[in-house]
């Protein structure tokens, strides 16, 4: 039996695995330590779901901002857009 922080696929990815680091990067914060026991495939699935949700959320915000710009008088839209979307 070996020692160390990494684990095999039966016991989970381990807190130092690439999948665990990718999840933490997607979260923008340290991943909860309990997720270190999850399999790399599960962490990958969660990471992809988070990234997809963030992309969807960002697209929704952009759409909402563009829709809100329609309330700004036409002559001011260009400058307002440049201020908001630098």
């Amino acid at each position: 039996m070996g020692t160390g922080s990494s684990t095999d696929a039966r016991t989970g990815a381990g807190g130092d695995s690439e999948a665990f680091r990718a999840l933490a990067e997607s979260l923008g914060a340290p991943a909860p330590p309990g997720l270190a026991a999850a399999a790399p495939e599960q962490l990958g699935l969660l990471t992809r779901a988070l990234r997809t949700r963030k992309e969807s959320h960002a697209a929704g915000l952009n759409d909402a901002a563009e829709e809100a710009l329609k309330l700004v008088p036409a002559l001011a839209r260009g400058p307002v857009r440049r201020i908001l979307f630098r």
Side-chain angles (χ1 to χ4, degrees):
M1 289 248 154
T3 61
S5 61
S6 63
T7 59
D8 66 23
R10 287 177 290 135
T11 58
D16 62 347
S17 75
E18 182 62 34
F20 195 74
R21 285 191 298 273
L23 177 60
E25 183 181 313
S26 290
L27 288 170
L35 290 177
E41 297 79 21
Q42 293 171 322
L43 293 174
L45 180 63
L46 181 56
T47 300
R48 287 188 300 279
L50 284 169
R51 288 180 180 162
T52 299
R53 180 65 185 121
K54 281 184 176 184
E55 290 168 4
S56 173
H57 184 72
L61 288 175
N62 286 336
D63 291 345
E66 286 296 329
E67 197 63 31
L69 279 173
K70 293 179 182 178
L71 301 174
V72 175
L75 291 175
R77 284 184 195 148
V80 169
R81 183 177 278 117
R82 283 190 293 277
I83 290 168
L84 292 176
F85 301 111
R86 290 185 198 185

